Amino acid sequence: MQTAEIHRRWLDFFEKRGHTVVPSASLVSDDPSLMFTVAGMVPFVPYLSGLVPAPYPRATSVQKCIRTNDIEEVGKTPRHGTFFQMCGNFSFGDYFKEEAIRFAWELLTTSEDDGGLGFDPKDLWVTVYEDDDEALALWKRHSTLPDERIQRLGKDTNYWSTGQPGPAGPCSEIFYDLGPDAGVDGGPATDDDRYVEIWNLVFMQYQITDVASKTDFTIVGELPNKNIDTGMGLERVAFIKQGVQNMYEIDQVRPVLDRAAELAGKTYGANHEDDVRLRVIADHVRSGLMLIADGVTPSNEGRGYILRRLLRRVILSMRLLGVDGPTFPELFPVSRDAMQAAYPEVAREFEFISRAAYAEEKTFLRTLASGIQILDAAVSGARGAGGEVAGDTAFLLHDTHGFPIELTLEIAEEAGVSVDRSVFATLMQEQRDRAKADAKAKKGQRADLSVYTELRGLGETLFTGYDELNHESRVLGIVVDGAPVREAREGEVAEIVLAETSLWAESGGQDSDQGVIVGDGFEAEVLDVQKPVPGLIVHTAKVVVGTVGLDARAETRVDPDYRRGATQAHSGTHVVHAALREVLGANAHQAGSYNKAGYLRLDFTHGEALSAATRSEIEEISNLAIRSDYDVVTREMPLDEAKALGAMALFGEKYGDRVRVVDIGGPWSRELCAGTHVESSAEIGMISLVSESSVGSTNRRLESLVGIEAFRNFAAERAIVQQLTSGLKVPRAELVTKVQDLGAQLRTAEKRIAALEAEKLAQRVPELLAGAEELGEVRAVLGSLGGVGSADDVRGLALQLRDRLGAEAGVVVLAGDAGGKPVVIAATTAAARDRGVRAGDLAKLGAQVLGGGGGGKPDLAQGGGTDPAKIDEALAEIRRSLAA
């Protein structure tokens, strides 16, 4: 049974039993505490926790998920995957244990011909929480399982909670028995791999507090509404139904594995290490495909970093299999074809997906080449230094160049040297500790969202700011330091929740409004406006006069100048986006934006920098659209109707069933957007593009000033031009030529000065050679040069002196003051290196005295520091080292 067919049967089964079919949410989670959607329940947490009223009594979904906490285990076990799909059915205060157990047994054991999954009951086992007599009785009533195949287990395996005070409850898990050849008898209680967990039924029925650990907490009572949250692992069911050994061999994954094996000339199943690498490739390519399809692009932080890490692990695994060149153009189309039956968007958006993936591979292959050079130098040095690559070098390769330690070890082993694993492990642990501490600190900065549960239960906050700047409302809630209070006094910063508000909450790329909240005897300055949970608008405000109390009448007043600037910038973003696509074509997708009064930032998909002419063209088209005074029309309509009109849904964004469509000039710019906008394009005033830069291998960023800020920028640049034309005494039309001429003259003068300084230094060769010393086993030339032009000058002189030393065991160490920064250069002859003297060690030693760092190759190295006054001391330390 194909994976997409299991997917379809799941949704059909529960839809026929009154469940609302909910499409999979994006892999990019709305939960601010999560980077990705890590479980099928994540999109339903606000309903399960009571934070937001559920829009339906029961629901079902097949949710896309990403987990990377066990990334190192991928490929090594039959069950670890970064991307997986979780089939779920949910009840929000509707049905409970009996129906959940009955539904599960019915779907699993109904024959395939009758629409079920066709499992033989003799292959199934069930576990229940040890004290859950009710669940045990219900399994006996609704299944044909003998008593010995229903096992009671403890809290560590069969009790669910978030790890925080709140909802919790026992759970019941369903396992498939792979048979006696796969492991020991005894059922899931043995914790043997023979028994594969395929479905978990969570019975959310209690409120817990005093949570000390997963098994140590206090149950304070039953929830007013008992909920059901179940999850069936789609990949696990698929590999069982398809008769294969693991999730990497199912129909959605195996084609990529086979193509990778073909490219590498390998046979899957012939070698364990190769098999692990092939499984990593198959898993990570699919994960990369699905992440990019949901709008994530490779970068150096956050979600983009996780994606980059996955893609680079694929490249490195292919390299370890013997393939050095690009492989993504071969692998990603195979994954697309395997996934598109379940997720048609991967085919629809494949041009964007492939461009992002292929560019990342191209970039990393270049990075890999430079890393190999570093490793080759380290291996070469290790051959003469005890046969060991330094642990900090291995860590540098891992941390900066993306080399896994396995690749470093393999290359080192082929060269006959080892790697200092202990230092590497220490540095890795220090990095993990820093990351853990940072994550803990950030987690501590986030408020407990449960504080908003009761407030959200009062209904959605109505935003009235599309039509008015001031609005009379009522205070529904006040939160200070994460706790609800009845009032906030003068000087306090509080979160204030109102029934309605005219203040825009930050979303859709538009920053929050500035303004005040005023009432009888109080005034609060609004510092920020956010939506911590869907449907709830929270104003962070400082009370500057009086006391704000619950149920008080309160009026929101938006700063009109700020709102005017914000609407100019947001409408300007749409205009620039339309101009960008007009110039670059439809493949230039918006990939993110931010706008506030006077400023806009637009990220877009494009693989190369824009020329000055292209930037000028985009700016001109944008300002022509402003001059054309296009009508800006906003309409609300169903999402399908908006798409039929050609409204652009921004890639990776999430939309509800009803959307707001913003037209500027009719279809010229037609986008889905909930932000605030001007009424005609002329109100934008002016667009001034001030910056274009890279934000990744496939993304570019345009920054622009808008309205009065754009005018002020032009005025400032005009003043600079006037100062230059006056000071240089040339007309404006000749200013560029004049500056270019001055630059050429300056460069010529600098070259002449450099040549004179080099000649002056070269004249010191006889003097320095005459002062050579016999130190230990080498003849050493050590000299302080005083003021020098640059490190290059010192290096050139050191090489001349080394050449004059010829075949003897010679060492040259020169130091100078390059513009207030000390520099030390060390050079050695081959005979000196044969005696164990290395330039890198000498440069490092001198740099330490100078208050800096240094190093390099055994034949030539450089160091620097902060204190030129210590140059003589540094040379003396090097002299002592050579003489020892």
Side-chain angles (χ1 to χ4, degrees):
M1 187 182 295
Q2 298 291 290
T3 307
E5 175 62 14
I6 301 170
H7 181 146
R8 185 192 66 78
R9 288 183 182 225
W10 175 277
L11 296 178
D12 285 351
F13 177 88
F14 283 103
E15 184 176 28
K16 290 174 182 175
R17 287 153 182 81
H19 293 65
T20 298
V21 175
V22 180
S24 174
S26 170
L27 287 168
V28 178
S29 175
D30 286 329
D31 187 333
S33 66
L34 295 173
M35 189 175 291
F36 296 115
T37 301
V38 296
M41 68 170 297
V42 168
F44 300 98
V45 166
Y47 312 142
L48 292 167
S49 64
L51 189 63
V52 177
Y56 23 66
R58 52 178 75 179
T60 186
S61 69
V62 177
Q63 175 62 46
K64 301 175 292 186
C65 303
I66 284 280
R67 289 184 193 170
T68 57
N69 54 321
D70 290 330
I71 192 170
E72 302 297 339
E73 297 303 311
V74 171
K76 298 176 183 177
T77 75
R79 304 170 195 176
H80 279 92
T82 50
F83 173 84
F84 62 97
Q85 299 155 89
M86 189 59 69
C87 305
N89 61 287
F90 306 89
S91 166
F92 311 107
D94 187 17
Y95 64 81
F96 199 49
K97 288 184 187 179
E98 180 159 17
E99 291 88 343
I101 289 171
R102 177 164 54 82
F103 289 153
W105 184 256
E106 184 179 351
L107 176 57
L108 285 173
T109 60
T110 296
S111 70
E112 292 184 16
D113 290 343
D114 293 328
L117 297 179
F119 280 91
D120 191 329
K122 70 177 178 58
D123 295 325
L124 300 178
W125 289 70
V126 164
T127 63
V128 297
Y129 176 52
E130 57 191 357
D131 295 335
D132 194 352
D133 296 336
E134 180 186 8
L136 182 69
L138 288 170
W139 275 113
K140 290 183 177 181
R141 181 186 309 167
H142 291 290
S143 76
T144 59
L145 292 169
D147 290 352
E148 64 270 16
R149 281 200 273 127
I150 306 175
Q151 297 184 325
R152 293 179 185 260
L153 297 178
K155 284 182 181 177
D156 57 332
T157 59
N158 279 65
Y159 208 97
W160 176 89
S161 77
T162 63
Q164 302 289 330
C171 57
S172 179
E173 298 179 332
I174 306 169
F175 291 79
Y176 180 82
D177 182 359
L178 293 174
D181 292 339
V184 300
D185 293 330
T190 64
D191 197 27
D192 190 83
D193 286 345
R194 167 178 168 175
Y195 306 95
V196 180
E197 179 198 335
I198 58 174
W199 200 336
N200 187 15
L201 316 178
V202 175
F203 309 128
M204 208 176 294
Q205 65 186 109
Y206 297 115
Q207 185 80 18
I208 64 171
T209 188
D210 300 329
V211 181
S213 69
K214 183 177 180 179
T215 59
D216 185 4
F217 50 80
T218 302
I219 297 175
V220 294
E222 293 201 346
L223 294 171
N225 290 315
K226 299 176 182 179
N227 299 325
I228 288 293
D229 157 29
T230 90
M232 184 187 82
L234 183 56
E235 280 79 7
R236 293 189 180 187
V237 171
F239 89 67
I240 293 167
K241 294 300 297 179
Q242 292 174 21
V244 295
Q245 299 300 309
N246 52 60
M247 62 169 290
Y248 311 104
E249 299 175 15
I250 66 173
D251 61 298
Q252 288 185 342
V253 186
R254 179 65 185 257
V256 178
L257 186 154
D258 288 339
R259 183 65 183 128
E262 184 180 352
L263 292 171
K266 304 289 185 180
T267 301
Y268 182 61
N271 177 279
H272 173 70
E273 288 187 359
D274 287 348
D275 289 352
V276 170
R277 289 164 185 157
L278 290 168
R279 292 194 285 261
V280 167
I281 291 163
D283 172 87
H284 289 5
V285 166
R286 184 170 75 144
S287 298
L289 176 87
M290 301 306 294
L291 280 169
I292 301 172
D294 274 354
V296 181
T297 53
S299 70
N300 286 328
E301 58 186 20
R303 299 179 181 93
Y305 174 75
I306 298 297
L307 171 61
R308 171 162 284 170
R309 186 181 178 200
L310 292 171
L311 296 180
R312 291 186 171 190
R313 279 171 58 88
V314 173
I315 297 165
L316 291 165
S317 295
M318 289 301 300
R319 182 182 181 87
L320 291 172
L321 289 171
V323 182
D324 294 338
T327 61
F328 283 5
E330 298 289 338
L331 300 176
F332 269 79
V334 175
S335 189
R336 172 202 61 199
D337 295 346
M339 295 300 295
Q340 65 180 340
Y343 302 99
E345 62 268 25
V346 300
R348 189 168 58 247
E349 301 290 348
F350 191 69
E351 183 175 352
F352 171 81
I353 295 167
S354 59
R355 190 186 310 117
Y358 300 170
E360 177 64 19
E361 182 178 39
K362 183 178 179 181
T363 298
F364 185 53
L365 286 174
R366 289 198 300 265
T367 302
L368 201 58
S370 65
I372 289 292
Q373 290 179 352
I374 294 172
L375 183 54
D376 285 346
V379 167
S380 177
R383 287 197 182 101
E388 186 174 69
V389 173
D392 55 357
T393 302
F395 179 75
L396 171 72
L397 287 165
H398 166 84
D399 195 47
T400 304
H401 297 276
F403 273 57
I405 186 63
E406 292 81 9
L407 181 61
T408 300
L409 290 171
E410 181 164 312
I411 293 174
E413 183 180 353
E414 289 176 356
V417 299
S418 62
V419 177
D420 188 342
R421 292 293 301 271
S422 62
V423 171
F424 174 83
T426 299
L427 292 170
M428 282 295 295
Q429 188 59 49
E430 290 174 357
Q431 184 189 63
R432 293 188 191 101
D433 291 343
R434 287 192 298 269
K436 188 175 182 180
D438 183 54
K440 186 176 181 180
K442 290 178 180 177
K443 184 177 181 181
Q445 294 166 6
R446 289 193 294 267
D448 181 357
L449 295 183
S450 64
V451 74
Y452 306 116
T453 301
E454 185 175 343
L455 295 171
R456 181 59 181 81
L458 298 175
E460 288 196 36
T461 310
L462 178 65
F463 174 66
T464 65
Y466 291 130
D467 305 312
E468 59 185 4
L469 295 182
N470 302 337
H471 184 79
E472 182 97 3
S473 186
R474 182 170 62 90
V475 178
L476 297 181
I478 305 172
V479 178
V480 175
D481 294 331
V485 297
R486 294 198 60 80
E487 62 181 24
R489 297 182 177 86
E490 187 172 316
E492 286 188 310
V493 174
E495 293 177 290
I496 301 173
V497 177
L498 306 173
E500 305 95 18
T501 181
S502 56
L503 288 151
W504 174 260
E506 182 180 359
S507 57
Q510 181 175 335
D511 206 350
S512 60
D513 272 333
Q514 294 180 2
V516 295
I517 301 172
V518 299
D520 186 13
F522 72 84
E523 178 177 334
E525 178 189 358
V526 175
L527 307 175
D528 193 14
V529 190
Q530 295 290 332
K531 296 178 181 178
V533 296
L536 186 71
I537 296 177
V538 176
H539 311 78
T540 300
K542 182 177 182 179
V543 182
V544 293
V545 176
T547 299
V548 183
L550 286 177
D551 293 323
R553 300 303 301 175
E555 183 181 16
T556 54
R557 297 178 182 174
V558 179
D559 180 328
D561 289 336
Y562 186 86
R563 172 65 74 81
R564 183 182 300 109
T567 57
Q568 287 176 318
H570 202 153
S571 297
T573 305
H574 286 225
V575 167
V576 172
H577 188 207
L580 186 75
R581 290 169 62 82
E582 186 173 320
V583 174
L584 299 181
N587 290 329
H589 290 276
Q590 180 174 325
S593 68
Y594 171 73
N595 50 76
K596 62 180 181 179
Y599 170 84
L600 71 84
R601 182 182 74 213
L602 178 69
D603 294 347
F604 60 99
T605 56
H606 195 61
E608 58 188 15
L610 303 184
S611 67
T614 300
R615 283 177 54 181
S616 180
E617 185 178 3
I618 293 167
E619 187 177 58
E620 182 173 355
I621 291 172
S622 298
N623 283 293
L624 286 173
I626 292 171
R627 190 188 71 174
S628 298
D629 196 17
Y630 290 140
D631 287 335
V632 179
V633 179
T634 59
R635 294 170 288 169
E636 278 199 8
M637 62 184 69
L639 178 60
D640 291 342
E641 184 180 334
K643 289 183 176 179
L645 284 173
M648 185 178 301
L650 299 184
F651 196 62
E653 287 289 321
K654 311 173 187 69
Y655 301 97
D657 294 333
R658 289 192 64 80
V659 294
R660 198 161 177 265
V661 178
V662 178
D663 288 356
I664 300 179
W668 183 72
S669 170
R670 177 169 289 161
E671 297 187 20
L672 305 183
C673 180
T676 61
H677 289 273
V678 298
E679 294 184 358
S680 70
S681 63
E683 293 179 31
I684 296 171
M686 184 185 295
I687 294 287
S688 172
L689 297 184
V690 294
S691 171
E692 191 267 341
S693 58
S694 171
V695 287
S697 56
T698 58
N699 284 358
R700 306 294 300 177
R701 171 171 291 172
L702 279 174
E703 295 180 89
S704 175
L705 298 176
V706 186
I708 191 65
E709 295 300 328
F711 167 76
R712 288 169 179 161
N713 182 62
F714 281 125
E717 290 185 349
R718 181 180 60 194
I720 293 171
V721 170
Q722 288 175 343
Q723 291 175 19
L724 289 172
T725 55
S726 175
L728 296 174
K729 296 181 172 53
V730 294
R732 187 176 69 173
E734 298 176 15
L735 181 60
V736 173
T737 301
K738 181 65 174 179
V739 171
Q740 288 173 341
D741 288 345
L742 288 173
Q745 292 172 25
L746 179 61
R747 287 191 293 274
T748 300
E750 287 174 342
K751 288 180 181 178
R752 288 176 179 171
I753 292 170
L756 288 171
E757 289 180 344
E759 183 179 344
K760 181 180 177 182
L761 284 175
Q763 292 172 357
R764 298 190 62 181
V765 169
E767 168 201 342
L768 290 166
L769 283 174
E773 309 170 54
E774 298 297 330
L775 298 174
E777 298 183 4
V778 298
R779 186 179 181 213
V781 178
L782 279 71
S784 175
L785 304 179
V788 296
S790 69
D792 289 341
D793 296 336
V794 183
R795 184 182 299 105
L797 181 58
L799 291 174
Q800 288 184 53
L801 288 165
R802 186 181 67 179
D803 290 343
R804 295 286 290 273
L805 291 173
E808 65 181 308
V811 174
V812 178
V813 182
L814 301 178
D817 181 350
K821 295 288 186 181
V823 59
V824 57
I825 301 290
T828 59
T829 65
R833 293 193 295 276
D834 290 341
R835 288 166 171 76
V837 180
R838 290 184 291 276
D841 295 340
L842 299 175
K844 184 175 183 180
L845 179 61
Q848 289 172 347
V849 176
L850 295 169
K857 295 181 179 180
D859 61 328
L860 182 66
Q862 176 177 331
T866 59
D867 190 354
K870 292 187 176 182
I871 284 178
D872 289 340
E873 183 181 336
L875 291 173
E877 185 64 28
I878 293 171
R879 182 178 287 108
R880 283 192 291 270
S881 173
L882 290 171

